[in-house]
Amino acid sequence: MAPYDDWNKYDNEEDEELQDDSFFDAKKDVILVCIDCSSSMLQVRDDPENEGEKTSHLFAALNTAMQLQKRKVITGPNDSFGIFLFNTSRKADSSRTQVSELKQNTFLYQPPGPISAPTIQQLIELLNGGPEGLLEEFPPSNQVPLADVFTGCNWVIRDGAPKTATKRVFLITDEDNPHPGRGSEQMITAAKNVFDDLLKLGVMVEPFFIQTDDKTFNVNQFYSSVMQHTPLDDEDEDGGLNEAVSIARIEDLLAQMKFREITKRALFSVPFELAKGLTIGVKGYGLVTEQKKGEYKYFVDLGDRLEPAVIKTTLLDEDRQAEIDKSTYVYGMAAVGANTSTNDDDIEEEGIAPTKIVKPGQRPFYTPEEMKSFRTLGLEPGFKLLGFKPRKELKFEDNVKHSLFIYPDENTYSGSKRTFTALLKSMAKKKVIALALGLVRRNATPTIYAVLPQEEDREEMEPGGFHIIPMPFADDIRSAPVEEGFIASDELKDAARQWINKMTIKSGYVPDSYPNPALAYHYEQLEASAFQEPYDADEFEDLTEPNVDMIHKKAGPLLKQWKLDLLDDHSATYVSPITGSKRKADAAVDVRDVMSKFKAGALSKFKVDELKV
Amino acid sequence: MPAERAGYTVTMFLVDVSKSMGAIRSVPLPPGPNGEERSAKMTHLQHALQYVKFKIQTMIYEGRKTDQCGITIFGTEGTDNQINAANGGYEHVTEYIPIAQPTAVTLKKLDQLEPSDDYGDPIDAIIVGVESQNKYLGKKTWTRKVVLVTDGEGPIELEDWEATAQKMNELNIGFTVVGVDFDDEDYGYIQKEKLHIKRVNEEFLVKEFVPAINGAIAGNLDRVIEQVSLPDVKLSRSTLMKSVLRIGDVDARAEEAMEILIKTSKCTAFSRPKAFKKFAYRPKTAEELEAEQRAMEANENFEKTVTFAQLKARTEYFIDLRAHKEEEEEDIKVEENEDEDERRSLDKVEKEQLIKGFKYGTSYVPCPEGQFQRLPTKQGIDLIGFIPEKKFRREFSMGEIQYIWGNPDNASAQCALSSMVQAMYEKGVLAVARWVTADGRDPKMGIMSPALFEQVHCLLWAPMPFADDVRKYTFPSLTELTNKKGETLTEHPYLPTEEQLEAMDEFVDAMDLMVAGDKDEEGNRAEWFDPRDSYNPSFHRLKQAMFHCAIVADLDTNPLPPPNPELLKYFNPPRKMVKKAQGAIDNCVKVLNVKHVPKMAKVARKDGHSHAQDDDDEPLLLDRKPSTSKPSQAQSQVKIEPKPASIPADDGSETEDSDTEMLLDKVEPPRKPNVLPTPARSLSPSSNRNDNDDDDNAMDVDPQRDFGRLIGRSYPLNDFKDNLKRGDLVSKAVEDMCVVIKEIVLAPFASRRSKEMLECMTELRDVCLKEDEIDAWNAFLPDIKSKCLHSTPGNKEFWSEVQGTGRPLGLISDKEAKECGGSSEITEAEATKFLK
């Protein structure tokens, strides 16, 4: 792993695009998990997953909350987390000073705050008591008016959440009709009003409704009126009952939460010009991005505690030891070789800052604005459609970076959704991709993107939209260093086919099956350290390792046969190097048929290349 | 050409500076800003030097110590070369710049070259150049190149050249002749009225001398310059890395498992431009200024200079003890300069005192090595299984592609891999595998695809995401919309109609790139766009900029020329295709009817990046504004009117201080005391924002703009002004402003914003008067009067404030209206009476 200093430097100099992301990282996320503790939630049942074990909905919900906190350590270490319970007669400890007096039968188990080892451990301890323990800890009460629950959330968040944070309430309940019978209208109105207040404060409520075989959850009983289900005027993020409400079995709660654990944040919002006069708005999201281990930080041991060190990197004129204000930077080529005064090598060795000396009034360097214009070539952020090609023209090897996902933004151009959808349907039907020129941010570089349609798949929770895949430039394509080799005979190929037949994974590549082992190993050790528990490396399971038992069971003998065939194979045809295959070397830019490119005027082009000396 | 070892080259440039090189020619320049043709007058020599300088710039840019050059000129009046010094002869040949790594000085010296009044023999120059190159390199096996640049108009000794050619072949010299106005049929250039001597010389150089030297080439200067100024794509090959492909349990069940020796190399690798260095102007010290002054007094020709210093990064470490101090000093808060405050509380720490560690939420875990025990892994690629090709999700491909080859030194490995590749290809499957690049390195997941070249088979590797790398977000369905009752809708502005779908189908067909490229020999149109022809525009533009500033002293008088058109060739769809598709495009524009929604509150960000709007932006669809009389689906769902936020403890106290105290519990007190926030804007510090001041806060404040409205309740005045600045939608802005003022005035705690509201009204009245919205004002004022006085709770105080302001906020009378070119039915007397 690169030491911290290098890391910094890379960020500063090599890729100014990267800096942009910090903006998003800096925005904190606050999640308040709000759990129903009614008697049905507390009811102890057999655990379907682990035989002989007991569970309850509350137990599972708290367990999920704990898992979520652990995950947040990785995905959002600066985020805040809290747990709020309702329908419980548990009283607040008098010792704890709660700023706002909470409503009756609600209990703030864990005030929103940064995730920390002790709070997670406390929760783990609570869970160690089992579902029966929870019954004692949080005895159920009468049904609290939902309005009071929301009011409680409101106060708790107001007291405990930083104002700039994104604030969300994860509501977990199995009761689809908390206020039946008379007066329900008033209860709905009251709850709706408080819910609207939450929205106004920028708090989103994400419900997780639990249903079982015996007890289904009907949103229309109560909740659809309270969290007004308004898919038409709600632009997926402005609140309201979320489009895809989670109604699931308790076992799936964690999986459901994974869809929402990270606040959906657009990376960019730009116009997409399909043609002159036809521009729509789109927002871009990163659906696949490498999750890295957190970098180590520097700390100072103050005896009683560790204090993180603040790192300040400044640029200075070494000769003068003077810090230079960022606004005065200008940009140019390394001064080595540009220094007209003396021999540069000597200067370098003496450790004196290289300089460039010009006459007064002359400007030898570029301004930051000029640098930006070189980078963007004057383009404004946005996409411009260039045309369409058959899907198969998007080659496996045309890849350098991860893809992004775009979805229409009706707020910038009305009519974006219908136009986007029409384009999506048409492209999917015709099996084509589009090519588009794009600049995703003001300091990004113009890139050609392949625009790949994805139709909605409700089963798989795959949204409709376009994946945009950055195409490599000629500059990014490396030539093949191996030009000839042994080609296996048909017999050998058939032998290989035998064992390949036995090793097919029908579902395709499903990322969920492959958690990053290095990341998991790192965080398990970090967690053990933070919890001050010993870590047993032997218990670690790497799910990315091949299932060799299965391979041998299914394909072992066939592999053996293939190996034997390989040993016996005398028919392998060696294609001897053809002299004068220079042309291939010349153009061996990539794996496609080289000839096609050179069909037209190959020789003249060749000659011209050589003229470059 | 075959990728050659970079560097380890000495190039001799032999430049003709004879009299004839001083002839003036007109050289076309890139078109001007309005597309006008432009050209520059320059000498043949200057033109020729462009080529030489370009080659040298490239060397400077690459900055290789082993890429060197020397410059010999011929046709000089005098003579200065080693052979002449030793043996005489070889006159008019001057060794101008000795062999070395070129620098900006080299370029500067080239600029100083002038055509002479004499002539020199290129063959003499070749011999001098080859000799000094040979002397310099001795027994070194570097690449030797000689480039001759001449117009061929001087006398050449046409005898005995064979020995020279032979010597050059012995030394394996790469020889290039670049001729000024040499005929080039391929290029389509034949010089008319060619001098006889030039015809003879050209014939000799191109048809006799060059063919006698192995691999030598000759070319026309214009053509060569055209070629070299094209973006240059370096064909680099990647190093082959040793690895092994494992199938099954190679340790315990070896006879049933397979290990194929492989080599891997990069297939794509993102090229980044070289980083620019940062510089800053270095102010002169007092001593320097004094020294300069003295020098000027002593020598009146003394030229002042300005120095720019290259900057270097310095990293320092501090600990911030402020957080803890704050608790102790809370009561004694002194107004302090923030900088000073910071300096006081930051203690510098030396790097040696620091301990590495990780954060686990708020807990800190020391970890002196900077990492925990690493996952024990073994180098190699482990095969996991095969997936059907059609299940491959192209968008999962996370990064650069790698080649996987059977080890080129091992026939059996090649055969084994080849058999696998062929079988995979035949069956239509891709392989899933786990790659560890070296023992102990973190594993990566990937998909391997079979690639069958004519003479070799290999696999291509694309990295795939781990579970941790995939973000699952939910998005509303694009095709299924349900209304409040849970019914599925089939018609809605968000859903494309049949007509719209058809228009789009036509558009997609019309914009087919497969037949939009250039015609081939048979007249068939080729496809348009090939990554192998696409230059990274930023990369080459930055490189060009770097070249340029390395050689010019002043960018104002000598600005960077425009980018090579080659860089921009994929910036627009092919013109011919668009022309043909115009009908389909026009139809799409018509039936899809997309409208830009004007941006409301300017939320300028300091960093100037175009980030996504904040997620709490209210939707705003102007085409369905609720004020129109036509009810629509969406309109029925317009958000309910704002109501007093149900914040507890309203004891009716209206004093500003207590309200603030109560509502803004933990929020810092507003910076500007004159305007205090209402609940509707509880976290905003101030409404008298100037644009540069509080922009950052603006991001966090909901503009409180209702569905379809231009004016929000948070910053009505700003919204209003912004809209008017853009000039569109004045009536709508006025209409909305009236509504918003009423809402705020009649809301609880309105007294805190009454001053602001008066400002709003003043502005509104002014606009109404000037923009001929007089009726709107004259309707608004009675309305708000009656609401203030007669509704419950109303706001009598506010109305009396309006009255107090008097006529400037009264009805607009006919007299006033006339002055501004409008009309009003209200008389001056009525207007005055109205306020009583």
Side-chain angles (χ1 to χ4, degrees):
Chain A
M1 203 182 287
Y4 212 97
D5 298 349
D6 288 356
W7 186 259
N8 250 349
K9 206 167 161 191
Y10 174 77
D11 217 352
N12 280 337
E13 304 207 333
E14 287 299 312
D15 197 347
E16 291 180 17
E17 282 180 64
L18 285 178
Q19 294 181 341
D20 229 24
D21 292 340
S22 60
F23 170 83
F24 299 104
D25 297 340
K27 204 161 180 185
K28 285 180 187 164
D29 221 357
V30 177
I31 293 177
L32 180 67
V33 179
C34 174
I35 313 174
D36 189 345
C37 294
S38 66
S39 39
S40 72
M41 289 289 289
L42 280 164
Q43 191 194 330
V44 179
R45 317 154 187 256
D46 287 331
D47 189 341
E49 313 261 289
N50 301 301
E51 214 165 309
E53 302 272 325
K54 297 281 179 195
T55 185
S56 69
H57 287 348
L58 178 65
F59 182 79
L62 285 171
N63 193 30
T64 306
M66 185 268 289
Q67 303 280 359
L68 199 60
Q69 288 198 59
K70 282 189 175 185
R71 290 174 62 86
K72 273 282 175 192
V73 169
I74 305 172
T75 57
N78 299 320
D79 294 346
S80 289
F81 200 92
I83 298 175
F84 181 61
L85 306 173
F86 64 98
N87 290 343
T88 177
S89 55
R90 164 81 177 255
K91 294 278 176 297
D93 314 339
S94 52
S95 60
R96 213 186 264 165
T97 46
Q98 179 64 45
V99 181
S100 308
E101 200 52 32
L102 287 170
K103 301 272 181 182
Q104 213 184 355
N105 295 336
T106 62
F107 175 66
L108 183 60
Y109 171 69
Q110 188 180 307
I115 292 153
S116 75
T119 48
I120 298 179
Q121 280 173 292
Q122 200 190 347
L123 184 53
I124 291 173
E125 217 166 280
L126 178 73
L127 288 166
N128 285 341
E132 293 90 353
L134 292 180
L135 253 170
E136 283 163 36
E137 284 278 338
F138 308 112
S141 70
N142 296 333
Q143 176 67 43
V144 182
L146 197 67
D148 287 355
V149 176
F150 286 154
T151 305
C153 291
N154 187 342
W155 294 353
V156 165
I157 283 181
R158 201 191 56 206
D159 291 344
K163 64 171 178 174
T164 54
T166 325
K167 296 165 278 255
R168 292 187 298 165
V169 171
F170 284 10
L171 176 70
I172 304 173
T173 181
D174 63 347
E175 180 53 68
D176 61 1
N177 194 8
H179 307 301
R182 275 176 50 199
S184 75
E185 280 301 314
Q186 277 156 292
M187 291 304 228
I188 287 176
T189 314
K192 167 134 192 54
N193 287 345
V194 193
F195 177 76
D196 286 342
D197 290 340
L198 278 174
L199 279 188
K200 278 197 201 107
L201 288 170
V203 180
M204 279 177 278
V205 180
E206 310 239 25
F208 295 88
F209 296 138
I210 298 165
Q211 65 178 3
T212 56
D213 293 339
D214 319 329
K215 195 177 173 193
T216 54
F217 199 101
N218 181 359
V219 190
N220 294 330
Q221 284 275 13
F222 178 79
Y223 281 96
S224 62
S225 315
V226 173
M227 306 173 160
Q228 210 178 63
H229 189 57
T230 50
L232 297 181
D233 73 346
D234 103 26
E235 181 49 52
D236 62 270
E237 39 238 334
D238 72 342
L241 191 59
N242 219 302
E243 174 68 358
V245 188
S246 162
I247 305 176
R249 307 171 70 84
I250 189 83
E251 299 87 58
D252 300 329
L253 195 58
L254 186 61
Q256 287 291 318
M257 276 193 186
K258 279 186 190 172
F259 278 97
R260 304 181 199 270
E261 68 180 357
I262 299 167
T263 313
K264 188 170 87 183
R265 235 168 244 151
L267 296 173
F268 54 84
S269 169
V270 297
F272 186 177
E273 183 187 295
L274 305 184
K276 281 256 154 22
L278 185 59
T279 299
I280 61 172
V282 292
K283 282 190 178 188
Y285 301 85
L287 300 188
V288 275
T289 319
E290 192 183 341
Q291 177 77 51
K292 295 194 173 114
K293 283 179 204 171
E295 269 291 322
Y296 58 78
K297 309 243 183 306
Y298 283 115
F299 296 92
V300 186
D301 192 348
L302 296 178
D304 56 336
R305 63 194 155 93
L306 290 178
E307 187 66 33
V310 179
I311 299 171
K312 286 199 164 182
T313 303
T314 43
L315 289 187
L316 66 161
D317 177 349
E318 270 200 314
D319 269 14
R320 302 283 162 92
Q321 285 297 307
E323 273 183 33
I324 307 294
D325 181 43
K326 202 172 176 202
S327 63
T328 63
Y329 293 170
V330 287
Y331 298 81
M333 196 162 158
V336 176
N339 191 336
T340 51
S341 50
T342 33
N343 190 323
D344 310 304
D345 288 344
D346 292 349
I347 282 183
E348 278 263 276
E349 278 159 31
E350 285 166 29
I352 296 170
T355 55
K356 182 155 180 168
I357 297 164
V358 295
K359 289 179 199 146
Q362 288 187 329
R363 182 168 73 90
F365 295 111
Y366 297 115
T367 63
E369 291 72 39
E370 284 174 306
M371 292 299 293
K372 196 172 268 180
S373 78
F374 299 153
R375 194 180 252 283
T376 62
L377 285 109
L379 285 185
E380 284 294 310
F383 292 99
K384 186 194 280 179
L385 186 99
L386 299 173
F388 301 94
K389 285 192 177 192
R391 165 72 182 77
K392 64 173 170 33
E393 292 297 312
L394 176 57
K395 305 292 185 200
F396 184 88
E397 60 270 23
D398 286 340
N399 210 79
V400 274
K401 287 179 179 174
H402 67 80
S403 65
L404 296 165
F405 182 75
I406 54 173
Y407 185 84
D409 178 14
E410 193 75 19
N411 292 349
T412 50
Y413 289 84
S414 71
S416 291
K417 278 198 170 174
R418 58 174 176 266
T419 308
F420 187 94
T421 307
L423 181 65
L424 180 66
K425 283 190 165 182
S426 185
M427 285 173 63
K429 184 173 78 186
K430 293 172 190 295
K431 295 196 169 58
V432 294
I433 56 154
L435 288 175
L437 172 74
L439 187 76
V440 293
R441 293 191 205 121
R442 229 167 257 293
N443 64 344
T445 59
T447 306
I448 309 268
Y449 291 94
V451 181
L452 183 66
Q454 170 171 294
E455 284 191 289
E456 183 175 339
D457 183 340
R458 292 213 151 183
E459 293 276 295
E460 299 286 325
M461 294 277 283
E462 296 290 357
F466 290 111
H467 296 287
I468 55 167
I469 298 167
M471 297 288 283
F473 290 107
D475 313 81
D476 307 328
I477 298 171
R478 302 287 185 97
S479 56
V482 177
E483 280 149 36
E484 67 267 314
F486 283 99
I487 304 288
S489 65
D490 276 358
E491 291 73 28
L492 197 59
K493 171 206 66 188
D494 292 338
R497 176 109 188 234
Q498 293 303 312
W499 61 264
I500 289 176
N501 282 340
K502 299 286 177 198
M503 281 177 69
T504 307
I505 308 166
K506 292 212 173 61
S507 57
Y509 182 84
V510 181
D512 277 348
S513 317
Y514 308 102
N516 186 342
L519 213 58
Y521 198 60
H522 169 83
Y523 279 106
E524 281 187 15
Q525 292 181 74
L526 175 58
E527 185 183 295
S529 270
F531 289 0
Q532 294 176 335
E533 288 167 356
Y535 180 68
D536 183 4
D538 293 337
E539 276 192 18
F540 181 77
E541 192 186 359
D542 181 349
L543 295 170
T544 65
E545 278 177 357
N547 185 346
V548 284
D549 290 339
M550 189 61 90
I551 292 175
H552 285 282
K553 196 177 140 207
K554 286 179 137 185
L558 296 168
L559 273 164
K560 191 175 176 181
Q561 189 56 47
W562 176 57
K563 279 180 79 178
L564 291 172
D565 288 354
L566 183 66
L567 283 176
D568 294 342
D569 189 54
H570 301 295
S571 62
T573 48
Y574 181 65
V575 183
S576 60
I578 297 166
T579 44
S581 67
K582 196 174 171 194
R583 273 211 320 209
K584 175 151 187 178
D586 266 296
V589 217
D590 76 346
V591 300
R592 272 163 287 204
D593 182 11
V594 186
M595 293 307 290
S596 69
K597 177 167 179 176
F598 276 77
K599 244 186 224 158
L603 280 173
S604 70
K605 197 157 190 180
F606 177 57
K607 197 168 147 198
V608 164
D609 278 348
E610 283 213 327
L611 283 175
K612 288 188 181 179
V613 179
Chain B
M1 63 206 80
E4 42 189 44
R5 187 166 65 148
Y8 302 97
T9 302
V10 170
T11 308
M12 298 303 299
F13 292 99
L14 315 173
V15 182
D16 191 348
V17 297
S18 302
K19 192 176 175 185
S20 56
M21 290 292 280
I24 302 291
R25 62 192 288 124
S26 177
V27 177
L29 291 180
N34 302 317
E36 71 270 19
E37 282 184 18
R38 298 190 301 184
S39 62
K41 295 255 183 290
M42 59 175 76
T43 61
H44 287 334
L45 178 63
Q46 282 170 324
H47 190 43
L49 284 173
Q50 287 191 337
Y51 164 72
V52 178
K53 283 200 288 187
F54 199 94
K55 299 303 296 181
I56 290 172
Q57 280 177 31
T58 315
M59 292 183 199
I60 297 174
Y61 176 78
E62 299 293 346
R64 287 199 180 88
K65 288 211 164 84
T66 57
D67 201 353
Q68 308 186 347
C69 70
I71 291 160
T72 301
I73 53 177
F74 60 99
T76 48
E77 276 147 50
T79 301
D80 179 10
N81 65 68
Q82 299 174 41
I83 309 182
N84 171 275
N87 308 320
Y90 300 93
E91 274 156 19
H92 306 296
V93 176
T94 301
E95 289 176 273
Y96 186 58
I97 300 173
I99 298 168
Q101 183 188 359
T103 65
V105 184
T106 318
L107 296 169
K108 214 171 198 174
K109 281 192 180 160
L110 280 174
D111 280 335
Q112 290 160 0
L113 282 178
E114 294 281 349
S116 73
D117 256 336
D118 234 312
Y119 283 95
D121 188 334
I123 299 293
D124 285 354
I126 291 171
I127 294 167
V128 170
V130 168
E131 178 60 23
S132 46
Q133 187 181 46
N134 195 33
K135 222 170 168 181
Y136 181 82
L137 284 175
K139 288 216 166 66
K140 280 187 197 147
T141 57
W142 287 24
T143 308
R144 296 163 191 233
K145 290 181 183 171
V146 172
V147 179
L148 174 69
V149 187
T150 180
D151 62 0
E153 291 188 15
I156 300 181
E157 176 62 59
L158 299 181
E159 306 287 321
D160 297 333
W161 55 268
E162 288 88 352
T164 310
Q166 198 191 334
K167 178 80 179 165
M168 287 172 81
N169 281 335
E170 274 167 31
L171 292 169
N172 202 9
I173 287 172
F175 182 58
T176 306
V177 176
V178 176
V180 181
D181 295 332
F182 275 24
D183 295 346
D184 187 334
E185 278 176 36
D186 286 348
Y187 184 55
Y189 179 83
I190 305 288
Q191 191 183 21
K192 291 168 239 161
E193 296 166 23
K194 203 184 277 286
L195 291 175
H196 176 71
I197 183 167
K198 180 161 183 166
R199 188 176 309 280
V200 174
N201 287 343
E202 219 183 292
E203 194 103 326
F204 161 71
L205 283 171
V206 179
K207 301 257 168 76
E208 283 190 75
F209 191 69
V210 163
I213 296 163
N214 300 336
I217 41 177
N220 169 291
L221 175 66
D222 290 323
R223 180 179 184 185
V224 171
I225 287 181
E226 210 171 89
Q227 286 299 328
V228 291
S229 54
L230 276 183
D232 182 34
V233 174
K234 251 197 296 165
L235 293 180
S236 44
R237 290 195 204 196
S238 314
T239 335
L240 286 167
M241 307 294 284
K242 220 171 164 175
S243 191
V244 59
L245 176 63
R246 286 186 292 261
I247 307 159
D249 182 356
V250 294
D251 298 322
R253 284 163 276 190
E255 79 285 357
E256 279 190 353
M258 183 64 174
E259 269 184 305
I260 305 176
L261 298 176
I262 52 168
K263 293 245 179 163
T264 63
S265 70
K266 283 179 178 168
C267 174
T268 61
F270 189 73
S271 311
R272 287 177 196 286
K274 274 205 170 137
F276 277 72
K277 299 285 183 220
K278 295 185 183 79
F279 292 81
Y281 166 71
R282 177 187 285 173
K284 290 201 162 63
T285 60
E287 294 92 70
E288 280 170 338
L289 284 170
E290 211 174 285
E292 194 174 77
Q293 195 61 34
R294 273 200 306 274
M296 272 168 73
E297 280 161 17
N299 176 3
E300 60 184 35
N301 291 329
F302 177 81
E303 281 190 53
K304 278 196 194 177
T305 58
V306 173
T307 305
F308 287 86
Q310 190 177 324
L311 305 180
K312 232 178 159 183
R314 177 181 67 186
T315 304
E316 289 178 307
Y317 305 87
F318 300 91
I319 52 171
D320 185 357
L321 299 171
R322 240 183 323 182
H324 310 280
K325 279 184 184 158
E326 224 166 67
E327 289 165 8
E328 296 153 26
E329 296 175 6
E330 208 159 30
D331 299 331
I332 2 161
K333 239 196 177 149
V334 200
E335 272 291 317
E336 249 181 323
N337 181 323
E338 203 182 308
D339 267 0
E340 226 164 80
D341 185 28
E342 194 175 298
R343 206 165 303 152
R344 234 173 36 132
S345 59
L346 282 184
D347 283 353
K348 196 172 170 209
V349 228
E350 291 309 316
K351 200 177 171 188
E352 291 69 37
Q353 294 172 255
L354 298 169
I355 309 167
K356 288 174 190 165
F358 290 95
K359 277 176 130 176
Y360 186 91
T362 50
S363 326
Y364 305 137
V365 176
C367 178
E369 283 85 49
Q371 62 179 47
F372 293 109
Q373 193 192 334
R374 304 195 73 141
L375 192 68
T377 53
K378 197 169 138 196
Q379 187 195 36
I381 300 177
D382 282 300
L383 186 69
I384 288 170
F386 297 89
I387 62 162
E389 208 181 335
K390 58 178 191 299
K391 289 269 183 175
F392 172 60
R393 295 185 57 179
R394 181 62 180 76
E395 69 274 13
F396 275 168
S397 201
M398 297 257 292
E400 297 168 350
I401 308 296
Q402 299 260 0
Y403 290 111
I404 296 166
W405 312 94
N407 189 323
D409 304 325
N410 185 316
S412 165
Q414 292 168 38
C415 266
L417 193 83
S418 164
S419 68
M420 230 181 101
V421 169
Q422 290 181 65
M424 283 169 67
Y425 179 78
E426 212 178 76
K427 189 174 160 62
V429 292
L430 308 175
V432 178
R434 172 188 191 264
W435 188 348
V436 175
T437 51
D439 287 351
R441 289 287 179 85
D442 294 346
K444 300 267 175 257
M445 293 303 294
I447 293 277
M448 301 190 292
S449 165
L452 288 79
F453 296 94
E454 237 172 295
Q455 299 178 22
V456 66
H457 295 163
C458 71
L459 289 165
L460 295 169
W461 164 281
M464 287 286 120
F466 286 110
D468 319 61
D469 303 331
V470 178
R471 292 203 166 173
K472 293 173 176 168
Y473 292 140
T474 55
F475 293 87
S477 171
L478 288 171
T479 48
E480 280 198 31
L481 294 185
T482 44
N483 65 11
K484 210 171 159 183
K485 294 176 204 131
E487 296 159 348
T488 306
L489 297 176
T490 50
E491 275 177 43
H492 186 270
Y494 287 177
L495 298 172
T497 62
E498 273 310 311
E499 188 194 15
Q500 288 165 343
L501 286 169
E502 271 167 35
M504 190 56 85
D505 279 349
E506 236 174 84
F507 170 73
V508 173
D509 288 339
M511 299 276 280
D512 183 5
L513 291 174
M514 295 310 283
V515 288
D518 294 331
K519 280 187 185 153
D520 65 10
E521 286 140 348
E522 287 122 52
N524 300 318
R525 288 211 171 271
E527 81 182 274
W528 186 87
F529 181 77
D530 185 328
R532 290 167 301 181
D533 287 337
S534 66
Y535 304 104
N536 180 342
S538 291
F539 179 92
H540 290 282
R541 182 66 174 156
L542 284 164
K543 190 168 156 182
Q544 185 195 9
M546 199 182 258
F547 270 26
H548 185 77
C549 80
I551 57 166
V552 304
D554 184 16
L555 291 166
D556 287 328
T557 52
N558 201 344
L560 182 68
N564 191 309
E566 206 40 35
L567 297 183
L568 309 177
K569 70 178 171 185
Y570 295 129
F571 270 39
N572 285 298
R575 210 179 321 146
K576 275 188 191 137
M577 178 187 81
V578 174
K579 212 173 146 192
K580 274 200 220 150
Q582 199 56 52
I585 294 172
D586 291 343
N587 190 36
C588 270
V589 172
K590 199 181 93 210
V591 305
L592 287 159
N593 188 28
V594 182
K595 287 273 183 298
H596 185 228
V597 181
K599 221 172 180 183
M600 294 311 135
K602 200 177 91 214
V603 189
R605 299 194 159 103
K606 274 177 190 156
D607 57 5
H609 302 157
S610 129
H611 287 304
Q613 285 291 299
D614 277 322
D615 288 342
D616 53 2
D617 271 1
E618 292 278 337
L620 192 115
L621 302 172
L622 267 190
D623 55 346
R624 289 189 269 114
K625 57 182 170 186
S627 53
T628 56
S629 54
K630 269 182 282 159
S632 74
Q633 189 93 36
Q635 197 188 319
S636 63
Q637 300 190 12
V638 164
K639 291 231 169 73
I640 47 158
E641 285 297 294
K643 67 174 109 39
S646 66
I647 286 180
D650 178 8
D651 57 2
S653 147
E654 288 278 31
T655 60
E656 296 177 351
D657 286 344
S658 63
D659 275 347
T660 317
E661 197 63 45
M662 183 175 67
L663 295 168
L664 300 176
D665 232 10
K666 283 192 167 174
V667 179
E668 282 173 71
R671 269 176 263 166
K672 290 175 188 135
N674 56 335
V675 185
L676 288 159
T678 68
R681 204 180 63 197
S682 60
L683 299 181
S684 64
S686 150
S687 77
N688 288 352
R689 317 171 326 130
N690 65 42
D691 277 341
N692 302 322
D693 192 1
D694 286 329
D695 279 357
D696 281 351
N697 286 318
M699 293 167 50
D700 303 312
V701 176
D702 183 342
Q704 291 284 331
R705 216 181 290 122
D706 276 348
F707 199 72
R709 266 196 210 152
L710 296 177
I711 312 292
R713 284 183 297 277
S714 294
Y715 303 109
L717 193 55
N718 276 5
D719 289 359
F720 188 58
K721 284 180 175 168
D722 281 349
N723 267 289
L724 292 167
K725 225 179 274 165
R726 281 195 307 273
D728 46 5
L729 301 162
V730 173
S731 304
K732 172 73 176 151
V734 165
E735 184 191 331
D736 288 356
M737 188 65 166
C738 293
V739 176
V740 166
I741 292 176
K742 269 184 270 176
E743 280 174 0
I744 296 174
V745 166
L746 298 173
F749 311 117
S751 65
R752 274 179 278 108
R753 292 181 74 176
S754 61
K755 195 173 163 199
E756 187 195 343
M757 286 306 109
L758 291 174
E759 280 171 28
C760 284
M761 283 176 67
T762 311
E763 178 71 19
L764 177 64
R765 188 179 191 271
D766 192 43
V767 169
C768 285
L769 188 57
K770 287 180 184 145
E771 300 282 358
D772 198 21
E773 294 285 345
I774 293 164
D775 292 345
W777 173 262
N778 284 349
F780 161 73
L781 204 61
D783 187 18
I784 194 162
K785 179 184 181 181
S786 96
K787 290 242 164 67
C788 279
L789 299 179
H790 305 303
S791 71
T792 6
N795 194 339
K796 296 199 175 79
E797 296 84 342
F798 184 74
W799 183 252
S800 56
E801 286 194 65
V802 174
Q803 280 174 311
T805 317
R807 274 301 280 129
L809 277 182
L811 292 169
I812 298 174
S813 69
D814 50 0
K815 192 170 139 241
E816 273 175 285
K818 214 173 228 173
E819 278 167 26
C820 294
S823 66
S824 166
E825 288 163 15
I826 312 280
T827 63
E828 189 60 36
E830 282 174 81
T832 315
K833 194 179 154 216
F834 181 76
L835 283 175
K836 291 284 159 62

